[in-house]
Amino acid sequence: MHEYTSNARVWGLSCPGFPEEVSRARRWTRDILRDSPLAGDAELIVSELSANAILHTASGQTSGSFHLALAVSPQAIALSVTDDGGTGTAPKVEHQGQDAEHGRGLSMVSVLAHRVVVHNSQNGHTVTAELFTDTRPGAHPC
């Protein structure tokens, strides 16, 4: 049954919606990915997605929280941050002008990641950023 065996490993972390938890999320990501050449990019992505959850959703309100999932395989790293929702708008990648003071975070994430997916539900939003370990032309990441 080896065709059903996976080398992927998955971790999860739930954090209260306090600003200081962003550094905890970064440290957690860095500790898990300490041997990966993609650790720095992953840490920056988690930092941005966690901060967005706290600043722009109910996750940053009293008793709010955000949740991280990190999946690692030989081909890819997938980082997901799920917030508590509570806003009328969903996260989206926007390419802001040079003088814009807001709205650059997900754009930066989309530059670092090979793919960014936003999933919206009644309970919140999940933003997943995928980093592929083999990006040679013609290579299949998964």
Side-chain angles (χ1 to χ4, degrees):
M1 292 282 203
H2 62 81
E3 68 266 20
Y4 298 112
T5 304
S6 172
N7 288 333
R9 300 199 57 198
V10 179
W11 292 263
L13 177 69
S14 293
C15 298
F18 304 127
E20 57 270 19
E21 292 298 312
V22 174
S23 63
R24 178 179 173 210
R26 277 196 315 265
R27 187 174 52 253
W28 178 79
T29 302
R30 185 176 55 243
D31 288 348
I32 292 170
L33 297 175
R34 66 183 159 269
D35 295 328
S36 171
L38 298 173
D41 288 349
E43 183 180 351
L44 185 57
I45 289 169
V46 163
S47 180
E48 182 60 36
L49 296 180
S50 299
N52 282 353
I54 293 170
L55 292 172
H56 302 297
T57 73
S59 293
Q61 297 174 3
T62 305
S63 75
S65 61
F66 62 99
H67 312 279
L68 292 91
L70 175 57
V72 179
S73 75
Q75 297 82 19
I77 295 170
L79 309 150
S80 296
V81 175
T82 301
D83 63 43
D84 285 344
T87 61
T89 59
K92 64 181 174 184
V93 176
E94 296 178 330
H95 299 285
Q96 299 294 336
Q98 189 172 0
D99 296 331
E101 294 181 18
H102 302 287
R104 292 184 172 177
L106 279 180
S107 180
M108 178 192 62
V109 169
S110 73
V111 168
L112 293 172
H114 294 95
R115 182 169 48 182
V116 177
V117 178
V118 178
H119 176 74
N120 304 306
S121 73
Q122 291 178 325
N123 300 322
H125 315 98
T126 299
V127 180
T128 301
E130 298 173 348
L131 301 165
F132 302 139
T133 57
D134 189 357
T135 57
R136 293 174 293 151
H140 296 282
C142 296

